[in-house]
C-alpha cells in the first residue's frame, strides 16, 4: 500500500505531559488543520499519536512496561488502556470536527510481541481503512507479550512496522520543539540540526540531544531517532523523516523551493 505521509502526534506536542490527562488544545487544533490541508491535496495519510499525559502516568505508577508482575500491574494495564483510548477518542473526534474522516484503531487485541519484538499486527486492517478513503488513527497502547505478559507498545514502533509493510514516502513527527538539537533544546546555546544523514550502518555524524521526560516510558527522542534510522535505512532512501514543531507548517516538504523549518532525516545516499 502506498502511503504519502505518516504523521505522529507526539504526546508532548498535544498534551501537557506533567499534568494528568491535560490537552494542549491549540496544538491539537493546528495538527488537525494540517491533516485537513494535506487531504485537500489528495495525500493518503496515517496518523499515530503518543499518549503523553493520557497513559504515561498510569503506566509508570503501576510499572506496566515491566510485564504482569502482580495483580496491581493488571489493574494498571486496564487503567492505562482507559486513558490512552480516551485520548484517541478525543483526537478522532477533533479530526472529524475538522472534516477528516478519521477512524480510531487500537493496537490491543491485534498487536502482540515476544520479548518486545512485534510478532503480530493489524496492518491489513489499517490498509483496508486507507483503501476505503478513511484516515486510520492508531496510538501507543498496552499489548500482550508472550515473554513478560504485557508491554507498552509505543507509537514509534507502530510507525516503524507500518513503514516496513508499506511504501511510505514521508514520516512527520510533531513535537513540542522545532526539531532535533545538538544539546537539550532548553539550553540557550542549543542549535537546531536542519539535516541528518544516516549511514547504512546506522551511524550519524551529528551530536544530538536525547534528553527525555522522567515519565516517558517508551523512550522519548532516543526512540524517535532510532525509529527514523530504521525507516530511512529499511526503505533505502524512499522514505524521509521530518521532525518539527506541531505549531509549524510542514507543507513545505512537498515544495522544493521552500525551506523546511525543522530537522530532516534521510538516508545518506539521498541527502541533498
Amino acid at each position: 500500500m502506498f502511503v504519502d505521509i505518516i504523521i505522529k502526534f507526539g504526546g508532548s506536542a498535544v498534551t501537557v505531559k506533567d499534568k494528568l490527562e491535560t490537552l494542549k488544545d491549540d496544538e491539537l487544533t493546528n495538527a488537525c488543520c494540517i491533516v485537513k490541508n494535506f487531504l485537500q491535496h489528495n495525500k493518503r495519510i496515517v496518523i499515530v499519536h503518543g499518549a503523553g499525559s493520557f497513559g504515561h502516568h498510569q503506566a509508570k505508577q503501576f510499572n506496566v512496561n515491566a510485564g504482569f508482575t502482580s495483580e496491581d500491574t493488571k489493574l494498571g494495564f486496564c487503567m492505562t488502556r482507559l486513558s490512552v483510548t480516551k485520548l484517541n477518542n478525543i483526537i478522532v473526534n477533533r479530526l472529524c470536527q475538522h472534516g477528516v474522516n478519521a477512524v480510531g484503531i487500537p493496537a490491543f487485541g491485534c498487536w502482540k510481541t515476544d520479548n518486545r519484538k512485534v510478532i503480530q499486527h493489524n496492518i491489513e486492517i489499517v490498509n483496508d481503512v486507507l483503501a476505503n478513503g478513511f484516515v486510520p488513527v492508531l496510538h501507543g497502547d498496552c499489548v500482550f507479550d508472550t515473554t513478560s505478559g504485557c508491554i507498552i507498545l509505543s507509537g514509534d514502533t507502530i510507525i516503524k512496522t507500518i513503514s516496513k509493510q508499506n511504501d511510505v514516502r514521508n514520516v512527520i513527527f510533531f513535537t513540542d520543539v522545532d526539531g532535533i538539537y545538538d544539546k537539550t533544546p532548553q539550553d540557550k546555546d542549543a542549535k537546531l540540526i536542519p539535516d541528518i544523514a544516516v549511514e547504512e550502518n546506522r551511524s550519524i555524524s551529528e551530536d544530538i540531544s536525547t534528553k527525555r521526560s522522567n515519565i516517558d516510558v517508551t523512550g522519548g527522542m532516543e526512540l524517535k531517532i532510532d525509529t527514523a534510522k530504521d525507516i530511512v535505512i529499511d526503505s533505502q532512501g524512499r522514505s524521509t523523516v521530518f521532525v518539527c514543531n506541531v505549531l509549524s507548517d510542514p507543507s513545505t516538504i512537498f515544495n522544493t523551493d521552500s525551506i523546511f523549518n525543522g530537522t530532516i532525516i534521510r538516508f545518506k545516499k539521498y541527502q541533498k
Side-chain angles (χ1 to χ4, degrees):
M1 171 73 71
F2 178 84
V3 179
D4 290 290
I5 322 167
I6 298 177
I7 302 178
K8 169 70 181 296
F9 290 11
S12 61
V14 296
T15 77
V16 182
K17 292 191 77 170
D18 60 353
K19 293 186 179 180
L20 181 64
E21 297 188 348
T22 303
L23 283 175
K24 290 182 177 177
D25 197 72
D26 291 343
E27 285 82 350
L28 178 55
T29 295
N30 194 65
C32 293
C33 290
I34 290 167
V35 172
K36 178 64 174 178
N37 180 57
F38 281 140
L39 289 173
Q40 290 173 337
H41 288 83
N42 300 314
K43 302 302 180 184
R44 181 175 282 176
I45 300 172
V46 175
I47 296 172
V48 180
H49 66 80
S53 59
F54 291 75
H56 278 297
H57 291 271
Q58 294 89 343
K60 185 179 182 183
Q61 177 185 353
F62 292 94
N63 200 22
V64 175
N65 211 24
F68 289 138
T69 56
S70 67
E71 286 300 312
D72 282 347
T73 310
K74 291 185 176 180
L75 174 61
F77 183 96
C78 298
M79 298 301 293
T80 302
R81 288 218 69 247
L82 280 171
S83 190
V84 296
T85 53
K86 179 179 180 180
L87 178 60
N88 184 253
N89 286 333
I90 291 171
I91 290 176
V92 170
N93 182 54
R94 187 69 63 89
L95 286 162
C96 289
Q97 290 175 356
H98 283 79
V100 176
N101 295 325
V103 178
I105 303 177
F108 174 73
C110 297
W111 291 64
K112 186 180 290 185
T113 60
D114 179 20
N115 197 24
R116 302 185 178 277
K117 302 294 184 182
V118 175
I119 59 173
Q120 179 179 308
H121 55 70
N122 63 350
I123 306 302
E124 288 185 0
I125 296 173
V126 173
N127 290 347
D128 196 29
V129 170
L130 280 169
N132 281 280
F134 294 89
V135 175
V137 184
L138 298 89
H139 59 90
D141 205 348
C142 302
V143 300
F144 294 136
D145 183 273
T146 57
T147 300
S148 63
C150 72
I151 66 160
I152 303 295
L153 180 73
S154 75
D156 294 343
T157 298
I158 292 173
I159 291 172
K160 184 167 63 175
T161 305
I162 294 173
S163 297
K164 277 189 175 182
Q165 298 294 319
N166 291 324
D167 182 8
V168 177
R169 292 306 170 89
N170 304 281
V171 177
I172 302 174
F173 286 98
F174 284 152
T175 71
D176 59 344
V177 293
D178 289 341
I180 296 173
Y181 289 78
D182 61 347
K183 300 177 183 178
T184 301
Q186 289 73 29
D187 191 312
K188 65 178 181 179
D189 297 323
K191 294 180 180 179
L192 180 69
I193 302 171
D195 212 313
I196 294 176
V198 180
E199 303 275 2
E200 185 79 49
N201 65 2
R202 295 178 55 82
S203 66
I204 56 178
S205 59
E206 301 288 352
D207 292 326
I208 54 181
S209 168
T210 55
K211 183 176 180 180
R212 59 179 183 246
S213 164
N214 62 3
I215 63 164
D216 192 339
V217 295
T218 56
M221 190 61 77
E222 268 186 283
L223 181 55
K224 288 173 180 57
I225 293 166
D226 283 342
T227 300
K229 288 179 180 180
D230 288 337
I231 290 169
V232 300
I233 293 172
D234 289 346
S235 71
Q236 288 294 289
R238 291 191 306 276
S239 301
T240 303
V241 176
F242 302 85
V243 183
C244 64
N245 197 304
V246 66
L247 292 174
S248 66
D249 178 9
S251 63
T252 55
I253 68 174
F254 295 108
N255 184 353
T256 56
D257 295 327
S258 300
I259 298 175
F260 175 71
N261 183 27
T263 300
I264 303 174
I265 306 171
R266 46 192 155 199
F267 198 46
K268 186 173 183 180
K269 180 180 177 182
Y270 289 85
Q271 187 183 35
K272 295 180 180 179

